[in-house]
Amino acid sequence: MFTMREASSIVRELRERRGWSQSELASEARVSRSFIADVEAGKPTVEAAKLFDALQALGFEVALRSLDDGQVRW
């Protein structure tokens, strides 16, 4: 299961790989810097759509994979 703690580590790692500040990622994702800070802190109540925007700005997208057969669905 994917947790906010895991998401926070992933977002921070991907942002740092690009050499972006939290403000730069926020600008690219069209969210607030404080939202990015909340994501990276692992705050469990962040809005999923905005998290997806941040991941997309970092060059990634989220797919759904069936736990039964491994089939990926968008």
Side-chain angles (χ1 to χ4, degrees):
M1 178 177 281
F2 186 71
T3 67
M4 254 330 282
R5 184 171 296 247
E6 291 166 326
S8 68
S9 297
I10 291 167
V11 168
R12 181 180 299 109
E13 177 186 333
L14 294 173
R15 177 182 61 76
E16 289 174 349
R17 276 192 203 173
R18 288 185 178 257
W20 286 354
S21 66
Q22 288 182 341
S23 295
E24 289 169 316
L25 173 53
S27 177
E28 289 291 323
R30 297 186 182 109
V31 298
S32 69
R33 195 220 44 89
S34 63
F35 175 80
I36 298 299
D38 287 347
V39 168
E40 291 187 3
K43 186 175 179 182
T45 57
V46 298
E47 186 178 332
K50 289 181 180 180
L51 174 59
F52 297 158
D53 289 342
L55 289 168
Q56 190 171 35
L58 290 163
F60 289 82
E61 61 188 6
V62 175
L64 300 175
R65 183 177 52 85
S66 170
L67 294 174
D68 294 331
D69 63 12
Q71 181 180 6
V72 176
R73 304 215 25 158
W74 303 103

